[in-house]
Amino acid sequence: MTRLSNVVFWIAAVTFSVAMLALAMLACRIIEQALDSKKDFWDIATAIGTCGAVAVALWFGLRQETLRRRDSVVRARLIGAYLTPRLSVLLDAACKTRIILQTPIGELPLTSKYGQAESACRPMGWVIPPDDLAALTPLPRSTAFRLARAIALMNAVASDIPVKGPSFQRLTTFRTALLNGFIASWEEQLDEAIDLMTAVQAELLSVSAGLVRPA
């Protein structure tokens, strides 16, 4: 389909150029007869030729930019379709981690809460390749920027829990209060990440839906 559209484009471009040349020659002929002066004729012909060349160059430039943007949108949709299953894993890990962190202390001791949260959050350590993230920038509603923010928040929590958790194996009153503060911070980051990721996933499913055709 792309090859056919390129052939049609070049046929149209050649036809347009020939038509412009024919019109320019006709206009020059009429002007020459009206002015009855070779010098004025060539001055005007040069001006017309320059304007025509600029018009053709602008047309070709706009056409190439249109093709480039179309290709970038198609690539963004493909990358989105590729990333969607992985984002589902991250979203599931974030939701499970948040549930564990929000479990009351009476139902789940802090030490157990840390251990389960560390295990649940491991998938959130995944980092999206920068090229894939950049490829999503043509998508609407700032999808790439929201995804970058969501991934950054999840990465921060996934790296923070294993570092801070082991120091609270022997809890004191002070350490319990400190760990509760960390948990509240992790919950806040996860809440924002889950909201962003949910919106991103819905957008990616929407834009990539047209790539899947029933057999």
Side-chain angles (χ1 to χ4, degrees):
M1 190 66 181
T2 302
R3 182 176 299 177
L4 179 61
S5 63
N6 288 335
V7 171
V8 172
F9 164 70
W10 284 111
I11 292 175
V14 172
T15 303
F16 176 78
S17 301
V18 172
M20 288 290 294
L21 179 61
L23 288 174
M25 293 177 65
L26 178 61
C28 291
R29 182 63 179 171
I30 294 173
I31 293 172
E32 180 184 7
Q33 292 177 353
L35 296 177
D36 195 25
S37 170
K38 292 288 186 181
K39 181 178 182 303
D40 292 339
F41 162 74
W42 285 113
D43 289 343
I44 295 174
T46 301
I48 292 176
T50 301
C51 292
V54 171
V56 172
L58 287 174
W59 185 63
F60 273 101
L62 290 174
R63 173 63 180 176
Q64 292 300 317
E65 178 63 17
T66 300
L67 292 175
R68 186 193 67 79
R69 290 188 178 184
R70 185 187 65 184
D71 291 343
S72 65
V73 170
V74 171
R75 182 169 185 266
R77 293 172 65 190
L78 288 171
I79 294 296
Y82 167 74
L83 291 176
T84 299
R86 182 64 185 180
L87 299 185
S88 297
V89 174
L90 296 181
L91 185 58
D92 181 65
C95 291
K96 288 180 179 178
T97 304
R98 183 179 63 174
I99 291 173
I100 293 170
L101 294 176
Q102 291 177 340
T103 303
I105 298 177
E107 299 178 13
L108 185 65
L110 283 177
T111 51
S112 299
K113 178 180 290 192
Y114 149 72
Q116 293 184 24
E118 182 185 19
S119 176
C121 75
R122 284 172 186 166
M124 296 192 304
W126 178 74
V127 178
I128 182 173
D131 290 343
D132 290 347
L133 186 60
L136 298 178
T137 52
L139 297 181
R141 287 177 280 278
S142 302
T143 298
F145 299 100
R146 290 190 293 177
L147 177 58
R149 173 68 176 171
I151 294 292
L153 290 169
M154 290 184 179
N155 289 163
V157 174
S159 62
D160 211 21
I161 290 178
V163 171
K164 294 178 178 177
S167 61
F168 297 96
Q169 295 298 321
R170 296 181 179 179
L171 292 176
T172 63
T173 302
F174 173 76
R175 285 187 174 184
T176 299
L178 190 60
L179 183 55
N180 283 332
F182 289 146
I183 290 175
S185 175
W186 294 334
E187 289 178 355
E188 183 179 352
Q189 292 179 74
L190 287 176
D191 285 341
E192 182 182 355
I194 289 170
D195 289 341
L196 290 170
M197 187 66 77
T198 301
V200 167
Q201 192 174 39
E203 183 64 32
L204 293 181
L205 288 172
S206 174
V207 299
S208 62
L211 297 175
V212 182
R213 301 295 182 187

